[in-house]
């Protein structure tokens, strides 16, 4: 465990927050369900399930096509999905506009960065590597790093600990209910982004603040979110 730092820590979700991964997730899903001759699904079919894990997406695709699937077949299809996704990474995935400049601003202000994603480590780590983002982060945790995952507070708090941060000097940036609830459960301030994969307007989840573009994520906003959360 690293020593606690007084530096502010900005923790980012991955899918739908830092990186638009949906095109590649949907491509891998459709390649997978084609093994059972299912009609392809679209992003609109699964918007709110992107970022919830491949198992959930596969189950939902079968449900949409009204085809049953048991746990054994699910695991077999999951293995195919993971193989396809890894082989084509990063594919069409792209960082959201303004992310690099946002990182530069925060780091120049003495802030640290981390990643807390429900994406499996075996997918998250190589994706960040191949997009040359890994060196930016003091810690990266996935959905299988701990025994729990977002919205459980312990996933976020464990990430903060690994980064050498202090929960009272940390915030979470995310796009979904899992992110905002994890922050609330951990008593950490949050910033919701409007451009992610939530199935409800981000305002309904009541993050501390909301942004429409990374140009709005400034050191001043980070400090304001921490101060508001501590009040």
């Amino acid at each position: 465990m690293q020593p606690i730092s007084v530096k502010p820590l900005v923790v980012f979700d991955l899918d739908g927050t830092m990186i638009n991964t949906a095109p590649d997730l949907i491509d891998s899903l459709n390649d997978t369900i084609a093994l059972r001759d299912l009609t392809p699904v679209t992003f609109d079919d699964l918007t709110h399930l992107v970022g919830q894990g491949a198992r959930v997406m596969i189950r939902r695709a079968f449900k949409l096509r009204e085809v049953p699937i048991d746990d054994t077949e699910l695991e077999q299809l999951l293995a195919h999905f993971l193989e396809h996704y890894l082989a084509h990474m990063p594919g069409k995935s792209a960082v959201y506009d303004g992310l690099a400049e946002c990182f530069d601003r925060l780091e120049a202000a003495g802030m640290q960065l981390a990643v807390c994603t429900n994406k499996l480590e075996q997918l998250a780590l190589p994706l960040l590597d191949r997009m040359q983002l890994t060196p930016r982060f003091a810690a990266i945790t996935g959905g299988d790093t701990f025994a729990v995952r977002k919205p459980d507070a312990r996933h976020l708090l464990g990430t903060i600990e690994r980064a050498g941060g202090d929960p009272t000097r940390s915030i979470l940036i995310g796009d979904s209910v899992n992110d905002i609830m994890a922050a609330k459960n951990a008593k950490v301030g949050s910033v919701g982004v409007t451009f992610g994969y939530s199935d409800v307007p981000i305002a309904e989840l009541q993050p501390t603040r909301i942004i429409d573009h990374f140009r709005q994520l400034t050191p001043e906003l980070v400090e304001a979110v921490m101060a508001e959360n501590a009040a």
Side-chain angles (χ1 to χ4, degrees):
M1 183 178 69
Q2 298 184 31
I4 294 295
S5 169
V6 296
K7 288 184 177 181
L9 177 67
V10 184
V11 184
F12 290 82
D13 172 51
L14 198 162
D15 298 276
T17 298
M18 289 194 300
I19 304 174
N20 181 12
T21 55
D24 296 309
L25 292 170
I26 298 298
D27 284 350
S28 292
L29 177 63
N30 282 328
D31 187 83
T32 299
I33 65 175
L35 297 175
R36 282 287 305 275
D37 297 322
L38 268 64
T39 305
V41 298
T42 67
F43 175 67
D44 289 338
D45 290 328
L46 297 169
T47 301
H48 66 290
L49 296 180
V50 173
Q52 300 291 320
R55 283 185 182 86
V56 174
M57 292 177 63
I58 294 169
R59 280 195 184 279
R60 179 57 176 161
F62 272 72
K63 184 176 181 180
L64 281 172
R65 300 300 177 238
E66 299 181 341
V67 176
I69 182 172
D70 60 32
D71 290 342
T72 299
E73 185 175 20
L74 177 61
E75 292 307 310
Q76 293 170 347
L77 292 178
L78 175 64
H80 178 88
F81 176 96
L82 297 177
E83 181 180 0
H84 185 276
Y85 187 61
L86 279 167
H88 294 84
M89 184 183 291
K92 304 170 189 172
S93 293
V95 297
Y96 286 104
D97 189 44
L99 182 69
E101 295 81 0
C102 171
F103 285 169
D104 289 341
R105 282 195 304 274
L106 299 180
E107 290 175 334
M111 297 181 177
Q112 294 195 107
L113 312 175
V115 176
C116 180
T117 174
N118 278 352
K119 202 181 194 77
L120 297 174
E121 279 192 10
Q122 70 187 96
L123 302 180
L125 297 177
L127 176 61
L128 291 169
D129 272 343
R130 295 176 196 182
M131 300 194 78
Q132 301 182 324
L133 293 172
T134 301
R136 293 279 201 174
F137 305 113
I140 300 169
T141 67
D144 54 345
T145 303
F146 307 109
V148 296
R149 58 192 290 183
K150 296 179 297 184
D152 194 299
R154 291 170 291 176
H155 189 181
L156 176 54
L157 293 173
T159 305
I160 293 170
E161 181 180 13
R162 286 197 175 197
D166 179 342
T168 67
R169 296 286 289 161
S170 302
I171 70 169
L172 177 65
I173 317 300
D175 71 305
S176 73
V177 62
N178 282 342
D179 301 317
I180 306 309
M181 288 308 301
K184 290 181 179 181
N185 291 337
K187 296 180 172 54
V188 168
S190 61
V191 174
V193 302
T194 60
F195 44 78
Y197 306 146
S198 177
D199 60 333
V200 298
I202 194 70
E204 291 187 16
L205 303 178
Q206 298 183 320
T208 313
R209 296 290 182 88
I210 296 172
I211 60 172
D212 302 311
H213 190 282
F214 275 119
R215 72 171 67 92
Q216 297 169 287
L217 187 54
T218 62
E220 293 77 16
L221 180 64
V222 172
E223 293 285 358
V225 169
M226 290 188 298
E228 186 172 336
N229 188 63

